[in-house]
Amino acid sequence: MTRIAIVGGALQGMEAVLLSKAAGYETVVLDRKAHAPALSICDEPVVLDPTKDPEEARKVFSGCDAVIPACEELDLLECLDSMKMDAPLLFDLKSYHTSCSKNRSNEIMASVGVPLPQPWPECGFPAIVKPSSQSGSIGVSVAMNEDDMKKGLEFIEKIGDEPVIQEFVHGKSVSIEVIGDGKKAKSYVTTEVCLDSNYDCKMVRCNPNILSAEDDALFGKIGKDVAEAMGLAALMDVEAILTPKGLRVLEIDARIPSQTPAAIEAATGINLLEELATTAMGKPANRKAEEGSAIYRHVVFKDGVLRSSGEKEFGHVSSPRFAPGLFGCENSITDYEPGKKEWRATLISRGRTEAEADAKAQGCIDRILDECSIDEFIDGTPEMV
């Protein structure tokens, strides 16, 4: 059996375990924190910091067929990249350095003609103010006026980063994953990313109707062109907004994403971790996509209320387990127990069609409300979309 070492036990680590199990792989998760959530769902948990004990880490890796970082700590990533190991490292540090800087990645995207939001001050208000080197929604704010702009810039200065100020683009938020071998790259499946009131991802939708055939082909070409311009030798995702004027690409991230790969696997059977591993081993799986749809959603029950949850809130899940069939969903990652006062869950629902997946996802929420005697479900959305 193929054995995968996953370094990092938080959100990306849970995603990597889920995908590994779907591929039939055995999983070893390493994390320096004994309570990292992915440690409770893997086959072999290892509490270890490779930066402090590289020899012990190398021993763990020696029994594995591949090693994948599921983390974003630069010192740890550089340690893994420099470590001599027999198994392939499913990661490209050079591309990661590029994608970590929104300024650098914007330069590469512009060089291959990628449509980007207008820069400040040409864009005017409202504008997005974001740090160049942070991930997710950290430090991102919407500036409606000069005061908002000042506050956003002050925060970015406080965390020691450089600002990126761009046009606030509105529309459907979409993502596509790309795998490269250093020369050639392949784009995979488009997903829709739905945000909560804090601009954090609460749900991913995967179905054939996310974009028109024309826009979908363009998005795939954008991902392939950028990856090949970077010389990508691993996995990255491309995030964009479908505006009334067409696609506008926001950023790239050259590491295993959380959330979108699980939705893709549930809907189509394409497992991006399997594709990444088999590509690195010189034998790409190249699975043909099945026709299907899926919804991947985070929820939190707290203070007697069920709420949609961004990934950061879900990250506080404690000793989770996989619970297929919970409340009628196909699969879930959760610390739910009957009668518990506070719990979190990622619920994955799939259907043959978009309508069937939607109905299953809603049915799951309805069952939670009914079976747990909860009166209210609050599904927050951004103030501006």
Side-chain angles (χ1 to χ4, degrees), residues 8-240:
L11 288 163
Q12 291 159 266
M14 286 188 280
E15 185 84 9
V17 172
L18 186 153
L19 294 172
S20 295
K21 287 187 176 293
Y25 297 163
E26 191 173 82
T27 57
V28 183
V29 172
L30 293 81
D31 198 287
R32 60 186 173 82
K33 297 179 181 178
H35 299 294
L39 294 176
S40 66
I41 57 174
C42 69
D43 296 302
E44 182 181 337
V46 178
V47 180
L48 177 66
D49 184 346
T51 65
K52 294 181 178 178
D53 197 347
E55 286 305 316
E56 193 63 30
R58 193 177 286 110
K59 289 179 186 177
V60 175
F61 299 153
S62 68
C64 297
D65 298 288
V67 178
I68 183 163
C71 54
E72 297 184 42
E73 291 86 353
L74 193 54
D75 61 338
L76 176 53
L77 294 170
E78 290 175 340
C79 171
L80 295 172
D81 186 71
S82 65
M83 193 179 290
K84 292 180 180 179
M85 58 179 83
D86 296 328
L89 180 67
L90 308 180
F91 181 71
D92 179 356
L93 183 62
K94 180 174 173 288
S95 294
Y96 182 76
H97 274 303
T98 298
S99 72
C100 275
S101 167
K102 293 179 176 65
N103 286 324
R104 285 199 298 273
S105 54
N106 283 347
E107 288 173 6
I108 285 183
M109 289 193 285
S111 74
V112 292
V114 172
L116 301 169
Q118 272 194 320
W120 177 265
E122 291 92 329
C123 63
F125 292 114
I128 284 284
V129 183
K130 53 188 175 182
S132 177
S133 303
Q134 303 297 315
S135 64
S137 59
I138 296 171
V140 178
S141 61
V142 180
M144 302 300 296
N145 50 49
E146 294 288 351
D147 285 344
D148 291 344
M149 179 81 73
K150 183 180 178 183
K151 289 176 185 176
L153 293 174
E154 285 175 350
F155 180 84
I156 292 168
E157 182 179 3
K158 185 177 179 181
I159 62 175
D161 210 333
E162 296 178 355
V164 176
I165 309 172
Q166 292 177 319
E167 167 190 13
F168 179 90
V169 289
H170 60 92
K172 184 181 289 187
S173 178
V174 293
S175 177
I176 195 166
E177 277 70 36
V178 188
I179 293 175
D181 63 7
K183 295 181 180 178
K184 296 293 184 183
K186 177 181 177 180
S187 292
Y188 285 84
V189 181
T190 299
T191 52
E192 180 183 0
V193 177
C194 304
L195 306 179
D196 70 0
S197 54
N198 294 315
Y199 294 89
D200 199 11
C201 178
K202 66 177 181 180
M203 180 169 65
V204 175
R205 301 172 61 85
C206 185
N207 62 67
N209 305 312
I210 300 295
L211 295 174
S212 68
E214 182 180 2
D215 283 328
D216 197 54
L218 173 60
F219 200 21
K221 182 178 184 302
I222 286 170
K224 176 178 167 64
D225 288 349
V226 173
E228 291 179 354
M230 293 168 62
L232 178 73
L235 170 66
M236 77 170 188
D237 70 335
V238 184
E239 299 174 22

